[in-house]
Amino acid sequence: MQDLGVDTLIVVNFDSAFALLSPSDFIEDYLCAFKCKHAVTGFDFRYGYNGEGNMETLKIEGKRFFVVTEMKKFEIDHEKVSSTKLRNLIARGRFEDIPSYLGSYFESQGTIDSKDNQHVIVTLSEAFLTPPPGVYLIEIHTEGNVQEGIAHQIMDGSFQGSWHLLFNDSLPLKGKKIHIKWKSESIKKSKQMKDRRAKSIAKVQAF
């Protein structure tokens, strides 16, 4: 956003008081209070209690104070490109499809918990969406270096934030933060991991 020339970013906490604002109060308490001169929103933008405000009411109520520009729907293969679409792709681990919608691969950050040669355990930052358990082809970015690797996580529940990374070269020591670019799922390796897990469960049940 800095590269686009944004000077100030205001993040509003969506709490119960904010959710109960009427459309008129939202315009007065936020857009007008922030001295908005030009509002740019998506075609399906809604605001105010129960989403009662929409693009048409924004244009009508706001015309005395600011200009309104409506962004048209952006589609790929007749499907709207939206944050919901991207979240669903991440939740399903379909990282190879994301660049078509986002313009780049999904990326997240993590912290190295432990290191053993080319094997590293990483905890992903809670600020990013967590991929579902599986095996993924990734790029690891750290201190100006880029390395290809594999991330795998087959545990559930409270362990979902911990991932095992496999790569060819050594990474920085424990406690270092790394940037992870999720590229695609390794279907074959994922199936091997699931088969291995299933055999282990079968042995326990047999015992």
Side-chain angles (χ1 to χ4, degrees), residues 84-112:
T84 299
K85 172 67 178 179
L86 290 166
R87 284 195 299 270
N88 288 338
L89 288 174
I90 294 170
R92 292 156 61 188
R94 290 176 52 188
F95 294 110
E96 64 274 16
D97 296 335
I98 288 179
S100 299
Y101 297 91
L102 187 63
S104 61
Y105 285 104
F106 173 68
E107 300 183 22
S108 61
Q109 293 180 354
T111 303
I112 297 177

Side-chain angles (χ1 to χ4, degrees), residues 34-46:
F34 292 147
K35 295 180 171 54
C36 174
K37 298 299 181 183
H38 191 162
V40 182
T41 66
F43 72 99
D44 55 354
F45 173 65
R46 305 193 74 86

Side-chain angles (χ1 to χ4, degrees), residues 23 31 55 67 86 97 115 120 126 135 150 169 182 196 204:
L31 298 184
M55 278 302 304
V67 177
L86 290 166
D97 296 335
K115 174 180 177 291
V120 166
E126 294 181 357
V135 180
I150 296 173
D169 300 315
W182 303 83
R196 190 183 306 168
V204 171

Side-chain angles (χ1 to χ4, degrees), residues 170-187:
S170 61
L171 281 178
L173 299 177
K174 179 179 178 181
K176 289 285 187 177
K177 292 188 181 299
I178 60 174
H179 210 73
I180 303 173
K181 179 183 291 185
W182 303 83
K183 303 189 73 172
S184 65
E185 184 172 12
S186 176
I187 304 299

Side-chain angles (χ1 to χ4, degrees), residues 128-146:
F128 298 84
L129 292 177
T130 301
V135 180
Y136 301 91
L137 302 179
I138 61 172
E139 278 185 5
I140 305 165
H141 298 247
T142 177
E143 298 181 348
N145 297 317
V146 180

Side-chain angles (χ1 to χ4, degrees), residues 41-47 51 53-56 58 69-74 80-84:
T41 66
F43 72 99
D44 55 354
F45 173 65
R46 305 193 74 86
Y47 62 97
N54 54 39
M55 278 302 304
E56 294 306 314
L58 182 64
T69 295
E70 176 182 343
M71 300 300 294
K72 303 299 182 183
K73 179 165 64 173
F74 179 60
K80 184 178 75 169
V81 178
S82 65
S83 57
T84 299

